[in-house]
Amino acid sequence: MSMRSLRGIAAVGVTAAMLALAACSGGGDSSAPAPADDVERVYIEAVSADPTSLNPQFAGGPIPLRFGFSVLGTLVELNDGYEIMPGLAKSWEFSEDGSTVTLELEEGVLWHDGEPFTSEDVKFNFEEIMPLQTFGKPLSASIASIDTPDETTVVLNLANQYGPFLAALSQQALVPKHIYEGTDYVTNPANMAPIGTGPLMFESFSPGEQIVLVKNPDWWRGDFEVDRAIYPVMTDPNARMMALQSGELDAAVVDPSQQDQVEASDSLELVLRGALPQMVNAGFNASLPELSTPELRSLVFAAIDREAIVDLSLHGLGEAATTVFPEGMTWAVDNSVDFDKSFERDIDAINAGLDAAGYPVGPDGTRFTLDIRYISALSDVAAAAEVVKSSLQDVGIGANLLGTAEPVFMESVFAQSDFGIMLMRSVAGADPSIGVVRWLTCNPNRIPVSNPSGVCDEQLDQAATAALATLDQDERAAQFRTLQQRAVASAHWLPLAWTHGSNYTVSSVRWEGLTDAVGQTNNPPWTHMTWVG
């Protein structure tokens, strides 16, 4: 265990002790009277690393989003059922011809420094900040001009329809114009000390130690019970697990292999809701002769035991993928796609197919050998790599396991194309067009975290483009059906398993309601949390 982790546990322990002393007069169960006014109700959630930024507009990954959604706020919100809900925009209306979108903003909203939140802030974000964010760039590019007839009305005049408009908007955290205007947006100090409209306000960040947020007393949605939120930096998953078990943490992500300890605890629970689906996926390098055709890639994918990945690598915390999109994305899923039929793990048939393709078993017992690359820090993906290696051995394919640090992985896969099979864990995304589809469409410039295979399927790309070009969900769904069928036919990238093993594990020792799935994904249910003490 690292010294940093030990310091983290010590810091959390001291905090917990202080809370216990403060709570002596406040009662210890949900039926007890409300705590005394002098009891500070603190929520403690571990983070696995120092955030590179607290503003998700300029930093990727789940940690900046976690802070961004709590501190900054969004115009609309997306729940785990893929439903769009009001945020700072209490309503929105598309014109009949799809040429304008009118947003009506909540009234009386204040930034954390007391300045009013107005339509000018929204216009500034669309024009200046969103173009710098991955999903915000195409969103803002679809807007020709913006009108602000009054402080709570924004009219977006569209240059073209953009299919995932609202889903992409749900991922845009708004910043105050009066803090950012005239500055270098990316290096603005407010990115590490954000001023937003959300339920929590930034107080402090001590690198390597903790981030502290405090309650926004003027939150436009009203009161809630959390007075302070502390996020200790705890890099060691074992340390996080120990702190959860001792009641010193209210929430943390723990290793899937530790979930048996969670199940054995009366006070711990893995949260199954409130997050977008995650997946372990496989990408194939089509520049290799052994993976150069859809038929060969299909045989290799079929050889991978997806059920074993769930059972052995994910410890049962998920399900084997049978579709290209997650089943929760009901409007877009092609129900005719079934991996169990298209990629049946029939060892005899796979062996016969590989023989017929000109890859017989050689004197050393193998047909050919593939390099399997993955990020070694992702223990579930590392375990999945072991299962993939074992699966391929069943049909005479050798495998070299190359687990590395993330920068080496990214360089090897996306820059150098130095891999046979790439394994990753990623989020399905807020919409197919800004999530799964990027793994499938042509990527000639080898943009990271996108299709690494080198395959460009014309029909698939045409469907993806058409789905982007309309707001009509039925039309988009029809295009996505074509895309999913082409993805199966090409087999250059496919999900292996859907997983919730990396969701948050929460403790009910001090707070109830942490498992409630309400509001924006990847955000604690602040309004539903009840202090137990």
Side-chain angles (χ1 to χ4, degrees), residues 279-283 309 313 370-390 399-414 418-426 439 452 496:
M279 57 182 164
V280 176
N281 54 75
I309 287 177
S313 309
L370 298 172
D371 289 340
I372 301 177
R373 287 199 177 270
Y374 57 94
I375 298 170
S376 55
L378 300 177
S379 60
D380 50 351
V381 181
E386 296 283 357
V387 173
V388 172
K389 178 178 181 178
S390 176
N400 296 320
L401 298 187
L402 301 176
T404 64
E406 183 174 352
V408 176
F409 170 87
M410 300 294 282
E411 176 72 14
S412 299
V413 172
F414 298 105
D418 180 14
F419 72 102
I421 301 175
M422 170 218 75
L423 299 179
M424 278 197 75
R425 185 180 74 217
S426 57
W439 293 104
L496 292 165

Side-chain angles (χ1 to χ4, degrees), residues 32-161:
D37 291 340
D38 60 348
V39 174
E40 186 175 50
R41 295 162 293 195
V42 180
Y43 170 74
I44 306 176
E45 175 183 302
V47 292
S48 60
D50 277 339
T52 56
S53 174
L54 298 179
N55 182 352
Q57 294 302 105
F58 305 123
I63 295 177
L65 276 175
R66 193 77 167 173
F67 290 108
F69 289 160
S70 293
V71 176
L72 295 172
T74 58
L75 285 167
V76 299
E77 298 176 351
L78 180 78
N79 68 15
D80 65 353
Y82 286 96
E83 299 172 309
I84 300 292
M85 304 171 297
L88 289 166
K90 62 183 178 182
S91 66
W92 54 90
E93 183 177 1
F94 289 86
S95 62
E96 286 191 13
D97 62 359
S99 64
T100 65
V101 186
T102 301
L103 306 172
E104 295 295 338
L105 308 180
E106 289 284 349
E107 300 176 2
V109 177
L110 299 176
W111 293 103
H112 292 158
D113 62 0
E115 291 294 317
F117 165 78
T118 73
S119 56
E120 288 300 317
D121 289 301
V122 175
K123 181 178 180 181
F124 175 78
N125 276 267
F126 271 111
E127 293 179 342
E128 300 292 330
I129 305 300
M130 293 184 195
L132 304 177
Q133 198 259 3
T134 302
F135 306 137
K137 183 176 182 179
L139 170 66
S140 61
S142 72
I143 299 169
S145 63
I146 302 174
D147 299 321
T148 54
D150 57 55
E151 290 192 344
T152 59
T153 304
V154 179
V155 180
L156 307 174
N157 303 299
L158 304 183
N160 55 269
Q161 292 192 19

Side-chain angles (χ1 to χ4, degrees), residues 177-240:
K177 176 181 178 181
H178 66 278
I179 297 295
Y180 280 80
E181 189 175 34
T183 72
D184 183 325
Y185 306 141
V186 176
T187 62
N188 191 303
N191 292 329
M192 296 306 295
I195 295 170
T197 59
L200 296 175
M201 304 187 299
F202 175 82
E203 180 176 275
S204 65
F205 172 33
S206 303
E209 296 182 10
Q210 64 182 19
I211 302 99
V212 179
L213 308 179
V214 295
K215 181 178 185 175
N216 176 8
D218 299 315
W219 191 35
W220 58 275
R221 275 183 168 149
D223 197 20
F224 58 102
E225 294 197 16
V226 178
D227 295 316
R228 183 179 297 269
I230 299 174
Y231 297 83
V233 179
M234 302 178 71
T235 60
D236 188 337
N238 293 321
R240 297 196 295 270

Side-chain angles (χ1 to χ4, degrees), residues 78 82 84 135 162-171 276-277 325-326 329 331-332 427-438 464 467-468 470-471 473 476-477 480:
L78 180 78
Y82 286 96
I84 300 292
F135 306 137
Y162 180 61
F165 190 97
L166 292 175
L169 189 58
S170 74
Q171 306 302 297
L276 295 178
F325 295 167
M329 206 176 276
W331 67 272
V427 179
D431 180 277
S433 291
I434 58 176
V436 171
V437 170
R438 75 177 187 272
L468 276 175
T470 178
L471 291 162
Q473 192 175 84
R476 298 188 72 215
F480 285 138

Side-chain angles (χ1 to χ4, degrees), residues 177-469:
K177 176 181 178 181
H178 66 278
I179 297 295
Y180 280 80
E181 189 175 34
T183 72
D184 183 325
Y185 306 141
V186 176
T187 62
N188 191 303
N191 292 329
M192 296 306 295
I195 295 170
T197 59
L200 296 175
M201 304 187 299
F202 175 82
E203 180 176 275
S204 65
F205 172 33
S206 303
E209 296 182 10
Q210 64 182 19
I211 302 99
V212 179
L213 308 179
V214 295
K215 181 178 185 175
N216 176 8
D218 299 315
W219 191 35
W220 58 275
R221 275 183 168 149
D223 197 20
F224 58 102
E225 294 197 16
V226 178
D227 295 316
R228 183 179 297 269
I230 299 174
Y231 297 83
V233 179
M234 302 178 71
T235 60
D236 188 337
N238 293 321
R240 297 196 295 270
M241 187 67 229
M242 289 167 58
L244 277 168
Q245 288 175 317
S246 65
E248 296 174 343
L249 287 178
D250 299 309
V253 174
V254 302
D255 194 273
S257 65
Q258 297 171 319
Q259 284 300 322
D260 56 342
Q261 300 176 58
V262 174
E263 293 176 5
S265 171
D266 292 333
S267 60
L268 300 182
E269 184 175 349
L270 175 65
V271 180
L272 300 180
R273 299 284 308 279
L276 295 178
Q278 294 189 63
M279 57 182 164
V280 176
N281 54 75
F284 299 90
N285 186 351
S287 68
L288 300 179
E290 301 88 347
L291 297 172
S292 59
T293 68
E295 292 76 18
L296 281 166
R297 295 191 294 270
S298 294
L299 289 167
V300 173
F301 185 77
I304 298 174
D305 192 335
R306 290 174 285 113
E307 292 288 351
I309 287 177
V310 174
D311 294 340
L312 302 177
S313 309
L314 305 179
H315 301 272
L317 303 173
E319 57 187 20
T322 59
T323 56
V324 180
F325 295 167
E327 291 184 356
M329 206 176 276
T330 52
W331 67 272
V333 172
D334 184 351
N335 292 317
S336 71
V337 169
D338 185 349
F339 291 1
D340 290 340
K341 294 179 180 177
S342 299
F343 306 106
E344 182 182 3
R345 193 168 193 267
D346 182 333
I347 298 300
D348 291 339
I350 295 169
N351 278 320
L354 291 169
D355 288 340
Y359 290 99
V361 176
D364 63 350
T366 62
R367 302 174 185 278
F368 51 81
T369 299
L370 298 172
D371 289 340
I372 301 177
R373 287 199 177 270
Y374 57 94
I375 298 170
S376 55
L378 300 177
S379 60
D380 50 351
V381 181
E386 296 283 357
V387 173
V388 172
K389 178 178 181 178
S390 176
S391 297
L392 297 182
Q393 286 174 341
D394 291 343
V395 294
I397 299 174
N400 296 320
L401 298 187
L402 301 176
T404 64
E406 183 174 352
V408 176
F409 170 87
M410 300 294 282
E411 176 72 14
S412 299
V413 172
F414 298 105
Q416 300 176 353
S417 194
D418 180 14
F419 72 102
I421 301 175
M422 170 218 75
L423 299 179
M424 278 197 75
R425 185 180 74 217
S426 57
V427 179
D431 180 277
S433 291
I434 58 176
V436 171
V437 170
R438 75 177 187 272
W439 293 104
L440 293 164
T441 50
C442 189
N443 184 20
N445 297 322
R446 303 198 65 81
I447 297 169
V449 198
S450 301
N451 176 12
S453 70
V455 171
C456 292
D457 183 280
E458 185 176 356
Q459 286 182 264
L460 188 156
D461 288 346
Q462 288 175 349
T465 300
L468 276 175

